[in-house]
Amino acid sequence: MSADSVFSSTFSFNKLVIFGVGLIGGSLARALRERGARAPGAQVVGVGRHAQSVARALELGVIDTAATLDDEAALAAALAGADIALIAAPVAQTQSLLERIAPHLDASTVVTDAGSTKGDVIAAARAALGARIGQFVPGHPIAGRESSGVEAALPDLYVGRNVVLCPLAENAPEAVARVAAMWRATGAVIGEMPAAQHDRVFASVSHLPHVLSFALVDQILGAPDAELKFSFAAGGFRDFTRIAASSPEMWRDVCLANRSALLAELDGYTEVLAKLRAAIDRGDGAALETAFARSRAAREAWQERGGKRAAPGAPGTTPADGESGK
């Protein structure tokens, strides 16, 4: 991954269009406004599937104007003269959104996304944009909360957090630098990695933990004494299952979009569980302690390096609060 310093630290814009003004898109808009990165007269436009989906963002002052995907004239006006357009919607919607946007997209507009998977998003962008694929710079802000929606948006959500860019061969360096500068203006740390590597890394440190968290809750829920178990659940259960409060729709899409890498991680995790099960079954305390000690040391080393707020140039890590997951 390249270091943060390769990009320009300045950022200004005339018009930013956000498709999906929820936690991720709303936090970007608030950060640019409240952290002083927004020049006078700059405009943030929020676009949603229906009027009610952007009405709250408008009411809260997160966006300046709103448009809906089903209003052709409003959509065209929203994109006219836009510097940057951000796709902050579930990854499964990427192709349909880009197809909707493409007819109204200025040649100078840079499009980026906030999706948790990149291989599928890039394929969707190629299908939708064709020869204009150079306008699309794949991105992934590694930040989030269990809460969703624009009400949960925070101006400091991205401070110290990683944003991974996965530039394409067709991207102009200026387009990549512009997206990087936008995220840096929110306080984020910028890095790059190839899309395939991104999907392998995040299958391990983000997608797998979410699946395991959902799975534990589901296992207990299926037990005949589930209510009793939940009534005695405390700190360990709370910490392990916190991300099971994330959006089921969003994580369904992530799992399916990154299925190959995620299946490989699930297989690897199953092998480790099998070894631990065998050690427990044979009463091998030494083997258990060795495995646990090794894991604790690795966890402590990660924490000392800054945990989820990783240093510049370090691979993105899994936020304790979930992640963009779009």
Side-chain angles (χ1 to χ4, degrees), residues 203 208 211-212 261-271:
L208 177 63
V211 170
L212 300 180
L262 181 54
L263 286 172
E265 293 299 326
L266 279 168
D267 289 345
Y269 190 83
T270 301
E271 289 179 10

Side-chain angles (χ1 to χ4, degrees), residues 273-321:
L273 282 180
K275 291 177 182 177
L276 293 176
R277 187 190 188 286
I280 293 170
D281 185 46
R282 65 177 181 266
D284 191 345
L288 292 174
E289 184 175 357
T290 297
F292 296 164
R294 184 170 59 245
S295 295
R296 183 179 69 172
R299 177 62 167 73
E300 289 175 346
W302 171 79
Q303 191 69 39
E304 289 171 3
R305 292 194 301 270
K308 68 186 179 207
R309 298 181 185 270
T317 54
T318 305
D321 296 329

Side-chain angles (χ1 to χ4, degrees), residues 146 206 209-210 213-214 239-246 251 319-322:
E146 294 104 337
S206 176
H210 279 79
S213 184
F214 284 122
D239 291 346
F240 190 84
T241 63
R242 181 168 49 192
I243 52 179
S246 302
W251 284 100
D321 296 329

Side-chain angles (χ1 to χ4, degrees), residues 81-84 105-111 132 135 178:
D83 301 290
I84 297 183
L105 198 60
D106 287 357
S108 60
T109 303
V110 178
V111 184
R132 303 175 71 183
Q135 290 182 245
R178 189 146 179 74

Side-chain angles (χ1 to χ4, degrees), residues 151-167:
E151 291 88 353
L154 298 172
D156 61 350
L157 182 68
Y158 302 112
V159 175
R161 299 292 184 92
N162 286 305
V163 172
V164 179
L165 301 183
C166 301

Side-chain angles (χ1 to χ4, degrees), residues 78-268:
L79 285 164
D83 301 290
I84 297 183
L86 171 71
I87 306 295
V91 292
Q93 298 176 20
T94 303
Q95 184 168 338
S96 61
L97 275 173
L98 288 174
E99 287 171 347
R100 191 79 181 89
I101 293 167
H104 308 295
L105 198 60
D106 287 357
S108 60
T109 303
V110 178
V111 184
T112 188
D113 77 305
S116 182
T117 55
K118 295 273 73 79
D120 62 312
V121 164
I122 291 170
R126 290 190 182 282
L129 299 177
R132 303 175 71 183
I133 187 62
Q135 290 182 245
F136 182 75
V137 179
H140 179 196
I142 319 302
R145 307 173 63 193
E146 294 104 337
S147 303
S148 59
V150 70
E151 291 88 353
L154 298 172
D156 61 350
L157 182 68
Y158 302 112
V159 175
R161 299 292 184 92
N162 286 305
V163 172
V164 179
L165 301 183
C166 301
L168 306 176
E170 295 90 343
N171 290 147
E174 312 86 72
V176 179
R178 189 146 179 74
V179 174
M182 178 185 74
W183 286 114
R184 187 178 294 105
T186 70
V189 176
I190 311 301
E192 292 182 16
M193 65 172 70
Q197 183 183 47
H198 169 281
D199 288 354
R200 289 194 303 271
V201 167
F202 287 96
S204 176
V205 300
S206 176
H207 308 164
L208 177 63
H210 279 79
V211 170
L212 300 180
S213 184
F214 284 122
L216 177 60
V217 176
D218 193 53
Q219 178 199 358
I220 295 174
L221 192 63
D225 57 349
E227 197 60 41
L228 179 65
K229 289 178 177 177
F230 281 126
S231 71
F232 282 96
F237 177 83
R238 181 182 60 249
D239 291 346
F240 190 84
T241 63
R242 181 168 49 192
I243 52 179
S246 302
S247 165
E249 176 192 13
M250 179 175 72
W251 284 100
R252 173 202 66 197
D253 289 349
V254 168
C255 289
L256 295 178
N258 203 23
R259 69 184 71 185
S260 295
L262 181 54
L263 286 172
E265 293 299 326
L266 279 168
D267 289 345

